[in-house]
Structures are given as structure tokens and as C-alpha cells.
Amino acid sequence: MGVTQQQVQDALAKVATPRGVGLTNAGVLSPISAGDGKVFFSINVEASEARAWEGVRAAAESAVRAIPGVEVAMVALTAERKAGAAAPPAPHRHAPGVQNVASHRPPQGGPSPMSRQAEIPGVAAIIAVASGKGGVGKSTTALNLALGLRDLGLRVGLLDADIYGPSVPRLTGIREKPQLNVDRKMIPLQRFGLSIMSIGFLVEEETAMIWRGPMVMSAVTQMLRDVAWGTLDVLVVDMPPGTGDAQLTLAQTVPLKGAVIISTPQDLSLIDARRGLAMFTKVNVPVLGIIENMSYFRCPHCGTQSDIFGHGGARHEAERLGVPFLGEIPLHMSIRTTSDAGTPVVESEPKGLHAAIYREIGAKVRDQLKDAIAAA
Ligand code: ADP
């Protein structure tokens, strides 16, 4: 059943706000995405007001969920500090779910930002898969790596946080929407033995494209904390590409045990990977290693290997920077076609060379997370 903008507006008009007017008249709403049982919008206030508005956010979400036909409602509260305003209090003192976009700079020489992030109960280790730029195969690698970790006997989840272009629905062929459990948390979709959540399950791709930093942060935080992940050894987060402010904030906000950086061998891509490394170092997230994707091409007819982009650059770079090199993934048609068909190569060709490579990389990642997994 469809849901109209008007139904949502009517429900929100009855939600009271600290400004003494209904929510629709408070001048704080983003455009509302409604339709197909999914409603998504954000409430944008100043950082100093954020705590007072968390109750409004929860009330708005309940009001929308009560509309007949609404299956998923996600209301993000985003807080922006005005230029020149006093620094806001430390993030852990904010209301839950509130991201302060202006306070994301890591403390110089202070305690690790990790210490301020609440872990996700039941999830032993969260790792980021990141790239300095788009199109290097980050999402393809994140999914196949998750499957490689699954093959090692681990319980694995995948969170597609690539808000600018969520590709996990396409890569997994998932078309369903997440349902809510009795605690009104979203239940991740199950596919290939993985627990999967993507913003692409909730909003149309075009909506995702127009998101701005603060909304991104808030949505990702909610996908982490308002999803019933259950018990997981590893949750793989497919990060938005790039090393801008949104990515930096994400790297700091998500309680990461480590990050994996994907690069192609081209120089430009390696320079971007270096930026990624610098970003994680800045927020004290250990870099688990670099993966060289589209590393070389092996001719399916004659078996000859061609180093199209000058293979090996990422390995050198990793050595130079003192971070582990996790492996090389060839440029291969079957990796692309299986991805596009929603049947990733580790799942569809489990005995193949490519699946073995992803499992080997998975083992190197697992070994670095052993303590966290054992302690959970
Ligand atoms: P990103 O997440 O970095 O934007 P994607 O994972 O969406 O990149 O990959 C971009 C394109 O490259 C997709 O069409 C994907 O199928 C293809 N691709 C990724 N890795 C490989 C590979 N090793 N061999 C062949 N095609 C690949």
C-alpha cells in the first residue's frame, strides 16, 4: 500500500515541538521521501537544541509508523553548529542518535575517539571497507570479503553505508524491505548466510544521491543502532567512497576495530588510497591492510597474465607505509558479471580461484580481529 506525503504531513502536524508549534510548522523538516510503505526524512536543528529534540524525533517516527501502510519509517535528527558558535559538548553527552557535524575533528593528542563510541551489543568487530575514490570495486570487494569471512565459519553482517550510491541491493539481488521486530528495530535481510542492511532498501537511489553530510551521519548511525543485528563476529561496513568530511566523521563515529582500503594499481588511485590511510590514522582506527583490486588480467583463453595497470603498486605502497598487504584480486569478467547478476563470485563459484583469493584475504583480516572475536 502506498503512503502519501499528505498523510505524513498530517501525522507530523500533530507532533509537538519545543518551539510551541506542530512539527510541520517548526521549519526544521527536510524534504520527505514517502511512498511504497517507506518514509524517510530528517529533522535539522542546531547543536545546542539537539537534546531537546530527540524526543520529537522519536515521537515523529512513532507517528509515521502508526500511519496505515507504513512499513519502514526512519527519522534522522541532525544537529549543525552555527559558524562561530561555542564548541558543543563531547559527542557521548548528546542524545542518542544525534550527530554533531561540526564537532567531528579528532582531539589533538587526546584520548582515542574509539573510547567515546558505544559498541554495538552482540557485534564483536566492526570493520570498514573504504576507498579513496569511487569505481575501484569497493562494494564488490566488501561483499565478497564478507562471504570469504562467512566461509571461515564466522557470523557476518554487511552494512552498506555508501549513501551516495548504495549498490548492495543490486549486488545481492535483494528487493525486499526490512521488517520491524517487536522492539521496532529493523530486521536485517538474510542472503547468502549474511545479515544485510542497506540504505538502498529504504530509499530510492536518487534520494540517496542528494543526501548531505549531516543526514548521512545520522542515517548511518541509525542503521547501526536501530537494526537488530543479533550476534555477529564481524560486521563489514561498505563506506561511502572518498576521504571528505562525511567519511572522516563516519570513521570516527562508527566503533571500528579496523579498516581495509581498496585500491587499483593506477597511480591516481594509490594516491587516493594514501589519503584513506591518513584519514583512518587521524581517527586512530587501525588499518588492517590494503587490497589491490583489478590488479592484473589473466586471459581466459591462453592463461597469459597482463598487468594492465602496472600491477603491484599497492603492495609496494603498503610496504612503504608499513601496513599489511592483504592480496591482489584480478580484473575478471566473472567478478563483474556475477556482481551484476546479484550472485557474488564467492557464492556462485565457491570452488573457483577468485573465491579462494577472497577467502585468503578474509583469513588475514580474521587473524587481526581474533582477540576481539574471542573476547565477545
Ligand atoms: P565501487 O564500490 O568502488 O564504486 P563497485 O564494487 O561498484 O565499485 O565496482 C565497480 C564496477 O567494477 C562494477 O561493475 C563491478 O562489477 C566491477 N568490478 C569490481 N571489481 C572487479 C574485478 N576485480 N574484476 C572485474 N570487474 C570488477
Side-chain angles (χ1 to χ4, degrees):
M1 203 199 315
V3 183
T4 63
Q5 289 264 347
Q6 194 57 51
Q7 281 175 295
V8 178
Q9 295 272 0
D10 291 348
L12 296 181
K14 295 185 196 127
V15 174
T17 69
R19 292 186 190 173
V21 293
L23 184 52
T24 39
N25 288 324
V28 294
L29 289 180
S30 72
I32 294 167
S33 156
D36 203 20
K38 300 176 284 190
V39 178
F40 185 87
F41 60 90
S42 71
I43 298 171
N44 310 299
V45 296
E46 273 179 46
S48 57
E49 305 174 291
R51 214 172 303 181
W53 282 79
E54 173 51 29
V56 179
R57 186 202 70 77
E61 212 165 67
S62 303
V64 172
R65 283 187 184 146
I67 301 170
V70 170
E71 288 167 37
V72 176
M74 201 158 146
V75 182
L77 179 59
T78 65
E80 270 184 276
R81 183 159 60 96
K82 271 195 178 151
H92 70 281
R93 281 154 56 199
H94 282 165
V98 176
Q99 295 310 305
N100 194 297
V101 289
S103 65
H104 68 255
R105 304 283 173 209
Q108 299 299 316
S112 156
M114 288 281 290
S115 59
R116 295 205 311 263
Q117 301 158 2
E119 309 254 328
I120 310 295
V123 180
I126 306 180
I127 61 166
V129 175
S131 63
K133 63 170 191 175
V136 300
K138 173 183 53 61
S139 299
T140 305
T141 310
L143 175 56
N144 281 299
L145 173 62
L147 291 168
L149 290 165
R150 173 208 65 178
D151 287 352
L152 299 171
L154 301 178
R155 291 161 297 187
V156 184
L158 176 67
L159 171 61
D160 176 10
D162 188 347
I163 245 96
Y164 301 114
S167 47
V168 165
R170 176 173 51 82
L171 296 177
T172 56
I174 295 177
R175 301 278 171 271
E176 301 96 284
K177 278 167 277 178
Q179 304 294 311
L180 299 179
N181 69 8
V182 283
D183 300 327
R184 306 207 66 77
K185 285 198 167 201
M186 284 181 278
I187 304 168
L189 276 305
Q190 298 295 319
R191 185 68 45 106
F192 317 129
L194 303 177
S195 298
I196 305 177
M197 185 65 201
S198 167
I199 197 73
F201 300 155
L202 306 177
V203 297
E204 304 307 326
E205 214 160 322
E206 304 84 74
T207 316
M209 295 302 287
I210 58 166
W211 285 23
R212 295 289 171 263
M215 273 179 89
V216 171
M217 297 323 309
S218 203
V220 171
T221 306
Q222 289 198 18
M223 281 200 297
L224 263 183
R225 301 193 186 277
D226 290 354
V227 169
W229 289 107
T231 307
L232 295 178
D233 294 308
V234 184
L235 177 60
V236 177
V237 180
D238 181 6
M239 296 272 287
T243 51
D245 269 5
Q247 288 82 354
L248 183 68
T249 312
L250 235 186
Q252 192 184 20
T253 311
V254 177
L256 294 171
K257 284 280 186 291
V260 171
I261 294 173
I262 316 296
S263 179
T264 59
Q266 291 118 302
D267 255 353
L268 187 64
S269 175
L270 280 175
I271 290 166
D272 289 317
R274 254 168 256 159
R275 288 206 191 103
L277 191 82
M279 174 175 84
F280 287 111
T281 309
K282 197 167 174 181
V283 294
N284 295 342
V285 172
V287 173
L288 304 174
I290 298 179
I291 297 176
E292 186 167 277
N293 189 35
M294 309 192 200
S295 180
Y296 55 90
F297 175 75
R298 192 180 301 281
C299 172
H301 308 294
C302 65
T304 313
Q305 179 170 324
S306 317
D307 297 340
I308 297 182
F309 300 123
H311 147 243
R315 182 188 288 275
H316 277 131
E317 196 57 26
E319 273 165 20
R320 205 177 64 81
L321 297 167
V323 297
F325 181 69
L326 297 174
E328 295 165 352
I329 301 162
L331 175 71
H332 198 281
M333 189 73 104
S334 73
I335 296 182
R336 195 189 65 73
T337 50
T338 51
S339 284
D340 290 350
T343 52
V345 74
V346 173
E347 179 68 18
S348 55
E349 298 170 16
K351 293 190 169 26
L353 175 69
H354 301 132
I357 294 175
Y358 286 113
R359 276 195 293 271
E360 258 169 51
I361 293 175
K364 288 186 190 156
V365 169
R366 182 223 23 216
D367 289 350
Q368 295 186 69
L369 300 173
K370 257 193 179 134
D371 290 348
I373 294 171

